[in-house]
Amino acid sequence: MLFRSWQCLLDVGINALPVKTLKITSFFDIDVVKNSEVKMLRPLESGCCMIDKVGKWVIVFDDTERTGRVRFTVAHELGHILLGHELEAGFGHYRKISEGKTAIETQADEFAARLLAPACVLNALNAFNSDDIARLCGISRKAAEYRAERMEILRKREKFLISPLEQRVFENFKPWIEEQQKNRPK
């Protein structure tokens, strides 16, 4: 599971922050639809994914939420799809949000965090606080706070660039990282 977000970044050729979620969904031929157009989400639901009548994946998101939250929701739902989580019964082929935090919801959250805020990139930019992470990655304050907590753990354990796959992600981002470092105010 850990490696799937890195592989996604590599497959799509993502090499800069903020990660363009619509570039990823387009690459995988997944439609992304505003809930205001289809009115499928229940109260307090941020998103869902489903298979339409012709067998195509669709992600529905709450377009009344802030951009950072929407980006995380789309990445979360993309995680369900790319991690192969099974659809639950409901409105046809509809993936519903469960009450409480289930293992697959946690996996989808982790996928989204790793996809939108790759630790190796944040580490190279010394972006360890939630303000920097939110700004660079275009995610909500809450998501950035969780990512900052995880970055602190990784930093203490010195767990960056251990995997060859993560090293490839870093190499893809390296020109962008160097440009950011060059343009950083002194």
Side-chain angles (χ1 to χ4, degrees), residues 10-57:
L10 292 169
D11 289 347
V12 182
I14 301 293
N15 59 6
L17 297 178
V19 169
K20 298 191 182 328
T21 54
L22 294 181
K23 181 177 180 181
I24 297 170
T25 56
S26 176
F27 178 87
F28 289 105
D29 196 28
I30 299 168
D31 287 338
V32 180
V33 181
K34 297 175 183 179
N35 189 54
S36 63
E37 295 173 3
V38 295
K39 301 191 183 356
M40 287 190 61
L41 298 178
R42 294 175 296 210
L44 304 178
E45 258 185 335
S46 293
C48 72
C49 56
M50 62 180 187
I51 299 174
D52 69 11
K53 293 176 184 172
V54 295
K56 187 172 182 178
W57 280 106

Side-chain angles (χ1 to χ4, degrees), residues 5 12 26 40 47 65 83 88 94 131-132 142 145 156:
S5 57
V12 182
S26 176
M40 287 190 61
E65 293 182 335
L83 295 171
E88 297 177 16
Y94 174 72
D131 289 337
D132 290 343
K142 185 176 179 182
E145 287 170 358
K156 286 179 181 174

Side-chain angles (χ1 to χ4, degrees), residues 53-158:
K53 293 176 184 172
V54 295
K56 187 172 182 178
W57 280 106
V58 177
I59 294 173
V60 179
F61 69 92
D62 181 353
D63 50 312
T64 65
E65 293 182 335
R66 292 179 181 252
T67 302
R69 174 71 179 151
V70 167
R71 288 172 39 71
F72 196 88
T73 296
V74 171
H76 172 99
E77 297 303 328
L78 186 61
H80 283 306
I81 295 167
L82 296 181
L83 295 171
H85 293 162
E86 290 188 31
L87 294 171
E88 297 177 16
F91 307 112
H93 296 302
Y94 174 72
R95 207 186 149 336
K96 66 179 184 175
I97 303 296
S98 304
E99 296 297 322
K101 197 70 135 176
T102 63
I104 61 171
E105 291 303 318
T106 299
Q107 288 176 358
D109 279 348
E110 290 173 357
F111 175 92
R114 291 175 177 142
L115 183 76
L116 298 176
C120 62
V121 176
L122 297 176
N123 182 57
L125 295 171
N126 292 314
F128 298 106
N129 68 59
S130 58
D131 289 337
D132 290 343
I133 294 170
R135 179 182 50 76
L136 283 167
C137 300
I139 57 177
S140 70
R141 161 75 69 201
K142 185 176 179 182
E145 287 170 358
Y146 286 126
R147 197 60 177 149
E149 289 173 14
R150 182 65 183 153
M151 289 297 294
E152 185 61 29
I153 292 167
L154 293 172
R155 206 163 124 192
K156 286 179 181 174
R157 294 171 49 203
E158 297 182 17

